Structure formats: structure tokens, C-alpha cells
Amino acid sequence: MSRRFTYIYDTFCGWCRGAHPTIAALIESGAEVEMLHLHLFQGANAHRMADGFGKVALAHDKRVAGLSGQDFDQRYVDQVLQSPTEVLDSTFTAWAAGLVHDHGPATEVALAHNLQNQRYIDGVSAQNRSAVEAAIIRFGVTAALEEGAQTAGQSAARARATLASLNLRGVPQLILEENGQRSALSIADFYKSPTAVTALAS
């Protein structure tokens, strides 16, 4: 029996923040996990908070916090959700994910969590390129962010193709492949007990 997992995410998806402990536990268990950054928030999906998306995001984030226990600090509400200029664009974080993708899933999920803490705890803007650059340096990457664009594009394309093949939409998505068959798993089932996911890898 052969089992492998694909995790499709966007760094700045609040529900992906909620999923972090589950995915981290799965990776730490030694399971074969491929991380694919969807780069959902770009172009027409790069939402301006002041246009009403801030209120929508706040409602979702409160649900995420209640279900998963993950923190969303008041600084995030004040400096990001209520900012008159903030735009939810995950391009810099997608490029960062591209730069560390070949370092393995443990590094990629750790970087995503670091960047999520910057946003959801410290209230750092998605437009703060220097904050993302500082994060990747801490993970031993000195390349320019743009050098991750090609890999980021490839990951996003694979993520979209995978979602389409299973008739799925949105993120996060955790997909199990077993003996050539793929199926989507409910991450929400593990919010209260993230380490229970490791039973799937055995």
C-alpha cells in the first residue's frame, strides 16, 4: 500500500492558517507530502480591504480561530483588515514558497507559518516585500524573490489542475493518493486534534 499527500494552500488564506497544525503534524510524522501554493490572491482575486473584503475576512477569521484555536491578533484587525490601502495579494509569499519548494515540505510549511504569523499576529501588510525577504533569509535563502516566480507558477498550475481533476475549489485542500486513487480529505476533522492526522500516514 502506497500513500502520499498533496496539500494545496495559499499563505494568506485564513483557513490555511487554521490548517497549519494538522499539516505540520502530518509532515513531522514522516508522511510523503507535496506542498503546492495555489497563489489564489492575485489579479481579480487581489481584494482591497476597504472595499468590504476586510469585513468578510474578519468574519471568516473569527470562525477559523474558534474552530482551530489559531490566533488572529488585534494588530492584524487594526493594521490590515481596517487599512484603507491594504490589498490582499499573496504574490510575494508565492515567490517565497517557490524559492524554498525544493528544500522540502517541512521548510515550506514552516515558512508559510512564519509569514502567517507576520500577518495575523504582527499585522504586517501583504505589500511589505522587505518582511518576506527577511523571512526567507532566516530560512537560508539569499536569492531575489523574483527568482521564485517560475517555480511558483508551476506549483500554482499543478494545484489548479489537481483541483479541477477532483472537482474541488478553494483552499486549503488535503488530498490523499493511495494505490493510484486520489481523494480529498476534510482538514476540519482534525482541527481539535491535529496529530490525529498521522494515523492516515501509517
Side-chain angles (χ1 to χ4, degrees):
M1 182 170 60
S2 175
R3 290 179 176 175
R4 64 184 303 273
F5 300 85
T6 301
Y7 177 56
I8 300 175
Y9 74 106
D10 188 290
T11 312
F12 287 160
C13 156
W15 290 101
C16 297
R17 176 166 178 77
H20 169 76
T22 300
I23 304 306
L26 185 61
I27 292 170
E28 289 169 7
S29 76
E32 183 181 352
V33 181
E34 180 174 23
M35 303 272 293
L36 292 178
H37 194 292
L38 181 61
H39 195 180
L40 176 63
F41 301 115
Q42 61 174 317
N45 285 326
H47 304 292
R48 183 182 174 89
M49 296 300 175
D51 292 340
F53 191 81
K55 293 181 179 179
V56 173
L58 179 59
H60 280 285
D61 294 338
K62 286 181 177 179
R63 289 183 61 201
V64 173
L67 290 169
S68 70
Q70 292 295 287
D71 292 336
F72 294 82
D73 195 86
Q74 187 62 38
R75 286 172 291 179
Y76 160 65
V77 177
D78 295 342
Q79 297 167 202
V80 174
L81 297 185
Q82 296 180 356
S83 167
T85 58
E86 178 70 15
V87 176
L88 176 53
D89 187 322
S90 58
T91 296
F92 293 151
T93 63
W95 290 352
L99 285 172
V100 303
H101 184 72
D102 289 342
H103 294 206
T107 298
E108 188 167 343
V109 78
L111 174 63
H113 191 53
N114 183 286
L115 294 170
Q116 287 166 355
N117 284 340
Q118 284 188 6
R119 181 171 181 82
Y120 296 118
I121 300 299
D122 300 330
V124 174
S125 168
Q127 283 74 61
N128 190 329
R129 177 186 178 124
S130 63
V132 179
E133 291 172 333
I136 62 172
I137 289 172
R138 287 194 292 272
F139 283 85
V141 177
T142 57
L145 276 177
E146 286 84 356
E147 292 185 33
Q150 182 175 356
T151 300
Q154 293 169 346
S155 291
R158 290 186 60 201
R160 287 192 294 270
T162 301
L163 292 174
S165 71
L166 294 170
N167 198 28
L168 298 172
R169 296 181 62 188
V171 289
Q173 297 288 348
L174 180 61
I175 297 159
L176 167 65
E177 183 176 331
E178 185 173 11
N179 298 325
Q181 300 297 314
R182 294 189 301 180
S183 59
L185 303 173
S186 173
I187 298 176
D189 291 344
F190 304 100
Y191 276 154
K192 295 302 183 184
S193 182
T195 57
V197 75
T198 60
L200 297 175
S202 60

